[in-house]
Amino acid sequence: MGKIYAVEYVTLDGVFEEPSWSGPYFNDELQDWQFQNTMAADIQLLGRVTYEGFKEAWPAMEAETGEFGRKFNAMPKQVATTTLTEPEWNASFIQGDVAEAVRRLKDEHDSIVVNGSGNLLNYLTKHNLVDEYRIMVFPVVVGSGRRLWDEGTKVALSLANSWTTKTGVAVLTYVP
């Protein structure tokens, strides 16, 4: 059975949306780590909002991102959506029961990465479908914005690995 790992950017106050605040702290260490996360994955599992944002941005960034961009663009994508009807950018849309579809994906793939996709991540967490949370905590407080976890979300996690970049980003790996 394959594993799902979520890769998330968050601020010290838990905000994950619109991560332009990550720019001053993003360095070669995080770039290399993100490269490894992407290269290890067979498939991306995305929510609609993240899919639409990535679909608009990434095809134009392939030339400047090299091997990473080629893999990111070419990788198959499964998207949880109830509103989109025309898949593009190597995507397929999950139909019906998302939890059951994700369980099937875990049977079919060794390594599935979830990037961003807050609504989907919370749904997967509630259904005990995430095997590893890889969270980059950036040393910034933004004061407002969508938090990674929905109010009322509860999950017990164990720290499996941690390290800190030269720019002060804490990279934390948790498992349920």
Side-chain angles (χ1 to χ4, degrees):
M1 175 169 278
K3 292 189 177 186
I4 292 178
Y5 57 95
V7 178
E8 303 294 338
Y9 293 52
V10 298
T11 63
L12 282 173
D13 54 342
V15 173
F16 87 103
E17 73 177 344
E18 301 299 327
S20 58
W21 37 259
S22 68
Y25 307 97
F26 207 88
N27 64 5
D28 289 343
E29 294 167 293
L30 285 179
Q31 185 174 333
D32 291 345
W33 185 72
Q34 283 288 61
F35 182 85
Q36 295 305 318
N37 286 327
T38 298
M39 293 303 163
D42 300 328
I43 188 170
Q44 289 185 44
L45 178 58
L46 301 169
R48 179 193 53 83
V49 173
T50 300
Y51 164 74
E52 288 185 309
F54 283 1
K55 177 177 65 92
E56 293 304 312
W58 275 99
M61 295 183 352
E62 189 169 304
E64 68 187 77
T65 56
E67 186 179 0
F68 180 89
R70 284 189 295 280
K71 167 80 179 213
F72 204 82
N73 284 319
M75 186 184 306
K77 295 147 189 82
Q78 288 286 320
V79 181
T81 180
T82 57
T83 57
L84 298 178
T85 57
E86 297 293 325
E88 302 173 65
W89 193 50
N90 301 315
S92 299
F93 296 154
I94 295 174
Q95 303 293 317
D97 184 328
V98 173
E100 184 54 39
V102 170
R103 285 184 193 97
R104 281 194 305 274
L105 286 174
K106 288 179 81 167
D107 286 339
E108 297 167 3
H109 298 278
D110 291 332
S111 186
I112 303 165
V113 62
V114 177
N115 289 299
S117 305
N119 291 335
L120 178 61
L121 178 64
N122 277 273
Y123 176 88
L124 297 172
T125 298
K126 289 174 186 165
H127 286 84
N128 301 311
L129 291 167
V130 179
D131 299 289
E132 194 170 284
Y133 298 86
R134 300 175 183 178
I135 300 174
M136 293 165 276
V137 182
F138 288 78
V140 62
V141 174
V142 295
S144 65
R146 176 142 186 239
R147 304 291 190 252
L148 179 60
W149 303 110
D150 290 342
E151 187 155 338
T153 299
K154 295 180 183 182
V155 60
L157 301 172
S158 296
L159 184 64
N161 189 22
S162 66
W163 58 282
T164 306
T165 70
K166 290 180 178 91
T167 59
V169 178
V171 181
L172 309 170
T173 302
Y174 291 98
V175 294

